[in-house]
């Protein structure tokens, strides 16, 4: 019933490239308003920075930093500036709360439960998200197929609480 989301493969990096993990909730800080911050970092360090969000469902994105001249100094400077923006390098085994990060989990639910899980005007899913402390998304399929509910990423406690809330509501509906 539960399907663990697997991280996508690491990007293949060439000479003069580096990847930097950025917690998903900090990507906006690195980009800045209308891309101003990332453009400023690129200008200061003579690098090109692309944000790869293939891994955002498991809690982080990657900044792919490229130096046209393959300058280690430019790459180091760009990495230092990105870490300044996010408050230091991302520690993948720990969350902001100080505990381990658990990847998002996928739960299949009967399609008749979708309305109840979301609630009028999204009220119930907003309540569950706030109560659990992690992301909860509902994706409805066509033709009566089971819907997909994604909970997390988060600490083991927040993911477990989200699962508990989803299962509780599903049992209430059925």
């Amino acid at each position: 019933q539960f399907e663990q989301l697997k991280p996508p493969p690491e990007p293949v990096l060439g000479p003069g490239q580096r990847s930097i993990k950025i917690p998903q909730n900090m990507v906006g800080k690195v980009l800045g308003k209308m891309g101003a911050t990332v453009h400023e970092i690129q200008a200061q360090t003579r690098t090109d920075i692309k944000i790869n969000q293939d891994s955002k469902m498991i809690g982080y994105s990657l900044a792919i930093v490229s130096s046209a001249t393959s300058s280690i100094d430019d790459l180091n400077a760009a990495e230092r500036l990105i870490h300044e923006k996010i408050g230091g390098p991302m520690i993948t085994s720990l969350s902001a709360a100080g505990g381990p990060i658990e990847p998002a989990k996928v739960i299949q639910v009967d399609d008749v439960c979708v309305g109840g899980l979301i609630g009028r005007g999204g009220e119930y899913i907003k309540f569950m998200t706030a109560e659990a402390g992690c992301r909860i998304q509902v994706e409805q399929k066509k033709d009566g197929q089971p819907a997909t509910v994604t909970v997390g990423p988060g600490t083991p406690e927040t993911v477990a609480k989200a699962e508990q809330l989803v299962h509780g509501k599903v049992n209430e509906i059925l």
Side-chain angles (χ1 to χ4, degrees):
Q1 180 165 352
F2 296 109
E3 178 186 322
Q4 288 281 56
L5 292 180
K6 293 173 184 66
E10 289 288 321
V12 179
L13 300 174
Q17 287 188 313
R18 184 175 295 176
S19 85
I20 302 166
K21 277 189 181 176
I22 301 172
Q24 195 55 40
N25 63 339
M26 298 296 229
V27 171
K29 269 193 165 182
V30 173
L31 291 173
K33 196 172 194 174
M34 297 181 68
T37 304
V38 77
H39 289 306
E40 186 179 303
I41 293 170
Q42 291 176 137
Q44 284 180 25
T45 60
R46 298 179 309 277
T47 58
D48 182 51
I49 302 171
K50 302 281 185 243
I51 305 292
N52 177 332
Q53 295 199 53
D54 292 347
S55 55
K56 77 179 190 178
M57 286 303 288
I58 53 173
Y60 67 90
S61 288
L62 294 173
I64 309 298
V65 183
S66 306
S67 167
T69 60
S70 297
S71 165
I72 299 296
D73 291 339
D74 290 349
L75 292 172
N76 288 340
E79 185 169 9
R80 182 181 51 75
L81 289 171
I82 289 171
H83 286 162
E84 280 177 16
K85 288 291 170 200
I86 64 174
M90 180 175 173
I91 302 165
T92 50
S93 62
L94 301 176
S95 72
I101 280 281
E102 188 156 312
K105 287 189 176 176
V106 177
I107 307 168
Q108 300 291 323
V109 299
D110 200 311
D111 70 321
V112 299
C113 300
V114 171
L117 282 170
I118 295 172
R120 181 165 292 161
E123 273 182 36
Y124 199 74
I125 197 162
K126 287 176 190 167
F127 160 75
M128 289 191 302
T129 300
E131 188 73 17
C134 70
R135 187 173 180 173
I136 302 174
Q137 283 186 300
V138 179
E139 184 182 334
Q140 191 168 20
K141 307 282 197 256
K142 292 184 168 38
D143 304 325
Q145 292 180 6
T148 302
V149 179
T150 306
V151 296
T155 64
E157 295 79 24
T158 60
V159 172
K161 179 68 174 172
E163 286 180 79
Q164 177 190 354
L165 289 165
V166 169
H167 287 301
K169 187 63 174 177
V170 167
N171 291 337
E172 186 182 305
I173 295 166
L174 299 175

